[in-house]
Amino acid sequence: MAFAQNLVRCSIKAAVSKNHFSLAKTASNFGAYQLSTQFNSLQPLRTFSIGSQLHQDVNVTFLRANGQKIQAKGKVGDTLLDVVVNNHIDLDGFGACEGTLTCSTCHLIFKVQDFEKLPDKASDEELDMLDLAYELTDTSRLGCQITLTKDMDGLVVSVPATINDARSA
Ligand code: FES
């Protein structure tokens, strides 16, 4: 609480050339910085905030090949590998290389509509590793390469019945 109170008092103001530049952190937007720039008296004050989406929960369901559904929560910015690890989900062998893109054990299969909305396409390195995964589909990705966004809330991904640890090939 004392930390938060100190942040309320924290205010930094600096003059940059002819413009007025101020950076302030207030209790009302604790966790988010507000930056304002006033170029001249005719230009309105402009503000924006960052960090407000971090820490938002994202619900993810892992669907095993036997039909079992495992529901889990992640945070915006987590990878799907993080979700498995942080929720202590028992997927045998999953994430063996801990996200270093050398094993393919984090292979997951997306629904077409979810796959098409993924913000990032697979890199060449990910595609090379996916080639070594068992049960590869057109909507396969590696869970360690998928970072959760707010829009992914409610995502359902299928876990293949078999995994291949490319390091043991
Ligand atoms: S955890 Fe090994 S490639 Fe994703």
Side-chain angles (χ1 to χ4, degrees), residues 103-117:
C103 74
S104 86
T105 62
C106 61
H107 173 207
L108 294 170
I109 299 168
F110 290 75
K111 293 178 183 173
V112 173
Q113 63 269 31
D114 294 329
F115 181 83
E116 290 174 348
K117 283 191 285 187

Side-chain angles (χ1 to χ4, degrees), residues 79-81 94-95 97 99-110 115 118 120-134 136 139-147 157 160 164 166:
T79 66
L80 286 173
L81 173 60
F94 191 94
C97 79
T100 57
L101 209 45
T102 56
C103 74
S104 86
T105 62
C106 61
H107 173 207
L108 294 170
I109 299 168
F110 290 75
F115 181 83
L118 291 174
D120 298 316
K121 301 296 175 208
S123 65
D124 289 344
E125 292 79 10
E126 181 181 350
L127 291 173
D128 287 346
M129 197 51 55
L130 272 170
D131 281 342
L132 303 173
Y134 295 157
L136 189 65
T139 59
S140 291
R141 290 292 301 267
L142 294 179
C144 68
Q145 301 301 303
I146 304 298
T147 302
V157 289
N164 179 33

Side-chain angles (χ1 to χ4, degrees), residues 39-146:
F39 291 96
N40 58 51
S41 59
L42 298 176
Q43 197 163 11
L45 191 68
R46 292 188 293 172
T47 62
F48 66 89
S49 64
I50 58 174
S52 59
Q53 288 192 9
L54 292 176
H55 312 302
Q56 284 191 6
D57 283 341
V58 180
N59 295 289
V60 180
T61 299
F62 295 88
L63 182 60
R64 286 181 188 269
N66 65 6
Q68 181 192 12
K69 290 180 179 175
I70 304 167
Q71 294 181 325
K73 278 189 194 306
K75 301 282 186 195
V76 169
D78 286 348
T79 66
L80 286 173
L81 173 60
D82 293 330
V83 177
V84 170
V85 171
N86 294 340
N87 287 273
H88 309 288
I89 299 173
D90 184 17
L91 298 177
D92 195 28
F94 191 94
C97 79
E98 301 178 347
T100 57
L101 209 45
T102 56
C103 74
S104 86
T105 62
C106 61
H107 173 207
L108 294 170
I109 299 168
F110 290 75
K111 293 178 183 173
V112 173
Q113 63 269 31
D114 294 329
F115 181 83
E116 290 174 348
K117 283 191 285 187
L118 291 174
D120 298 316
K121 301 296 175 208
S123 65
D124 289 344
E125 292 79 10
E126 181 181 350
L127 291 173
D128 287 346
M129 197 51 55
L130 272 170
D131 281 342
L132 303 173
Y134 295 157
E135 303 177 51
L136 189 65
T137 74
D138 289 340
T139 59
S140 291
R141 290 292 301 267
L142 294 179
C144 68
Q145 301 301 303
I146 304 298

